[in-house]
Amino acid sequence: MIEQPFFKEALPILQALETAGYEAYFVGGAVRDFILNRTVHDVDIATSALPDEVKSVFLHTVDVGIEHGTVLVLLDGRGYEVTTFRTEEAYSDFRRPDEVIFVRSLRDDLKRRDFTMNAIAMAADGQLVDPFDGQRDLNDGIIRTVGDASERFSEDALRMMRAARFISQLSFELDLKTLQAMIDHAPLLSHIAVERKLNEMDKLLSGSDKAAGLSLLIQTGLFAFLPGLSGQKAALEQVAVLPLQSLNADQMWLLLADKTAGRHITDFLRDWRMAGKRVKRIEKGVRTLNRVRAEGWHDVLLYEAQLETAVDCAEVVAVLDGKTSISKDLISRWHGLPIKSRDELDVTGSDLLAWTEKPRGIWIKECLELTEKAVINREIKNTKENIKEFLLSCNLL
């Protein structure tokens, strides 16, 4: 009996399919992570039942990808993707199969998968089906394609980035034939949508061995077919030798943007099709990083950066300088600031207008900014009386 929670909760689906006369197995990354004693976050199920047959077994289903054999089965408030065994014919665009053929053979289904470690199935009783020696490669720490590496990468070029991502996440080594095929087929990555590349890059940059993942992108030449990184081999090599383990994905993007994008930070990030909010966060991080280099940390800079950006920059600076991060000190200083935002100032633009006969104008913004800095630097107290007196002394009212 499988006791791991995600498997245990989904077990009734396998049992129902088997009771109806079909084969059903857990497959893919969940099985791999289970074998490696890594956290399992969700499970995928493969079955010999055709999509309509799956729907006939369960009361509540959703057609999420039925043309590719996937039906979402709803059970106890959760959704589980159940996919019919299939083979795939020709990948003329190096991204998607031209045709999906449903089959009744588990082995044929596993044969189409990317790497041996992801081509292991687990039955309801916990027995493993491993026709391509994925367990051996897991034990040896090897990433190897199922069958011919050139064929696998020609079918879906994103698999090359997945290999680099797994290097980062698992600290494995790459099979030599798989490595050579990545070098030979790197240009095929140009056919892959940027959004898919970003998804894999984020996972690579979140891994515990991200330096190794980046080094593989450099070694294979894949970096040349990633947005903004063509021609940046030297900069990437400088990043890849740094102690990157402590950085999260957004902090890694801050570091990469700083090292490779020059003055074109916005273009670099937008070329990766990042969400606007994320672009602004990383842009702000790079600007703050440059100010820290020029000015050092002071309370006004900490206030203007805000805590999230300050911590990001502190972590990146620590990696670049090879020193201990001062994030904890910055967090303590942040909590000690007199105000954390303009909303906390004891005056508003309306107060300024009430104190003078001046018409509305840019002068209001300038007064508020000057007041913020004076309060942050503890030159004045954050009260209406003190602020009014301060602005009068500056001849601004």
Side-chain angles (χ1 to χ4, degrees), residues 299-300 303 333-341 344-346 371-382:
D299 284 350
V300 171
Y303 171 81
R333 285 177 64 178
W334 165 262
H335 288 301
L337 292 178
I339 58 173
K340 309 295 192 304
S341 70
E344 295 181 18
L345 269 182
D346 198 32
T371 301
E372 282 178 298
K373 292 179 180 178
V375 170
I376 291 296
N377 287 327
R378 298 169 178 80
E379 297 169 4
I380 59 173
K381 293 182 179 180
N382 184 31

Side-chain angles (χ1 to χ4, degrees), residues 349-370:
S350 297
D351 292 319
L352 299 182
L353 288 170
W355 292 343
T356 179
E357 296 180 357
K358 293 182 180 179
R360 291 182 179 275
I362 191 66
W363 68 273
I364 294 177
K365 178 182 177 182
E366 293 171 347
C367 283
L368 291 175
E369 288 178 349
L370 187 64

Side-chain angles (χ1 to χ4, degrees), residues 180-392:
Q180 187 58 52
M182 288 176 65
I183 294 171
D184 294 341
H185 294 81
L188 295 182
L189 195 60
S190 61
H191 296 280
I192 300 300
V194 173
E195 290 81 1
R196 295 183 73 200
K197 295 177 185 178
L198 175 61
N199 184 48
E200 291 299 326
M201 193 68 166
D202 275 338
K203 293 176 182 178
L204 185 158
L205 297 179
S206 299
S208 59
D209 201 1
K210 51 183 73 73
L214 288 173
S215 294
L216 184 59
L217 294 182
I218 298 166
Q219 181 183 5
T220 57
L222 288 174
F223 75 93
F225 304 96
L226 296 175
L229 296 182
S230 179
Q232 296 294 333
K233 182 178 180 180
L236 288 172
E237 288 174 337
Q238 292 175 9
V239 172
V241 298
L242 295 171
L244 304 172
Q245 298 91 330
S246 64
L247 301 184
N248 62 34
D250 279 340
Q251 291 163 359
M252 281 298 304
W253 280 113
L254 196 168
L255 175 57
L256 285 173
D258 177 65
K259 285 291 188 180
T260 66
R263 297 180 180 178
H264 306 289
I265 305 296
T266 304
D267 291 340
F268 172 72
L269 299 172
R270 287 180 178 171
D271 285 348
W272 275 96
R273 303 289 194 273
M274 286 188 185
K277 184 177 181 180
R278 193 178 187 195
V279 169
K280 289 180 180 179
R281 173 183 173 177
I282 298 169
E283 281 179 325
K284 184 178 180 181
V286 176
R287 291 196 305 269
T288 302
L289 191 62
N290 289 329
R291 287 188 63 188
V292 171
R293 289 171 177 145
E295 307 167 21
W297 283 109
H298 51 81
D299 284 350
V300 171
L301 177 53
L302 178 58
Y303 171 81
E304 292 175 349
Q306 296 289 292
L307 186 58
E308 183 179 62
T309 298
V311 169
D312 284 347
C313 288
E315 294 300 320
V316 171
V317 167
V319 167
L320 287 170
D321 293 348
K323 297 180 179 179
T324 302
S325 170
I326 64 167
S327 291
K328 290 184 179 180
D329 291 338
L330 289 180
I331 293 171
S332 178
R333 285 177 64 178
W334 165 262
H335 288 301
L337 292 178
I339 58 173
K340 309 295 192 304
S341 70
R342 181 170 294 179
D343 291 340
E344 295 181 18
L345 269 182
D346 198 32
V347 297
T348 65
S350 297
D351 292 319
L352 299 182
L353 288 170
W355 292 343
T356 179
E357 296 180 357
K358 293 182 180 179
R360 291 182 179 275
I362 191 66
W363 68 273
I364 294 177
K365 178 182 177 182
E366 293 171 347
C367 283
L368 291 175
E369 288 178 349
L370 187 64
T371 301
E372 282 178 298
K373 292 179 180 178
V375 170
I376 291 296
N377 287 327
R378 298 169 178 80
E379 297 169 4
I380 59 173
K381 293 182 179 180
N382 184 31
T383 65
K384 279 185 170 59
E385 294 77 9
N386 279 271
I387 293 171
K388 184 176 183 180
E389 182 179 345
F390 167 73
L391 293 174
L392 285 169

Side-chain angles (χ1 to χ4, degrees), residues 84-210:
T84 302
F85 298 158
R86 69 191 191 190
T87 60
E88 297 166 346
E89 295 293 327
Y91 290 72
S92 56
D93 63 359
F94 310 103
R95 293 175 290 178
R96 295 177 294 266
D98 296 338
E99 183 180 7
V100 171
I101 301 172
F102 300 141
V103 296
R104 300 289 188 178
S105 166
L106 172 63
R107 190 182 194 283
D108 286 347
D109 182 81
L110 296 177
K111 186 178 179 180
R112 71 178 173 82
R113 296 176 183 268
D114 52 7
F115 305 109
T116 59
M117 64 182 185
N118 295 330
I120 307 171
M122 184 164 63
D125 62 2
Q127 292 297 307
L128 297 175
V129 181
D130 183 15
F132 305 105
D133 293 325
Q135 292 177 87
R136 181 194 64 191
D137 286 340
L138 285 175
N139 289 333
D140 294 342
I142 297 294
I143 296 175
R144 185 194 319 272
T145 58
V146 176
D148 183 73
S150 293
E151 290 183 14
R152 296 293 83 76
F153 296 146
S154 295
E155 290 167 350
D156 184 354
L158 189 70
R159 287 170 170 169
M160 294 183 285
M161 280 203 72
R162 281 170 59 81
R165 180 250 286 190
F166 286 129
I167 292 290
S168 173
Q169 292 178 325
L170 302 176
S171 296
F172 280 12
E173 295 182 2
L174 205 60
D175 164 66
L176 292 180
K177 290 182 179 179
T178 303
L179 173 62
Q180 187 58 52
M182 288 176 65
I183 294 171
D184 294 341
H185 294 81
L188 295 182
L189 195 60
S190 61
H191 296 280
I192 300 300
V194 173
E195 290 81 1
R196 295 183 73 200
K197 295 177 185 178
L198 175 61
N199 184 48
E200 291 299 326
M201 193 68 166
D202 275 338
K203 293 176 182 178
L204 185 158
L205 297 179
S206 299
S208 59
D209 201 1
K210 51 183 73 73

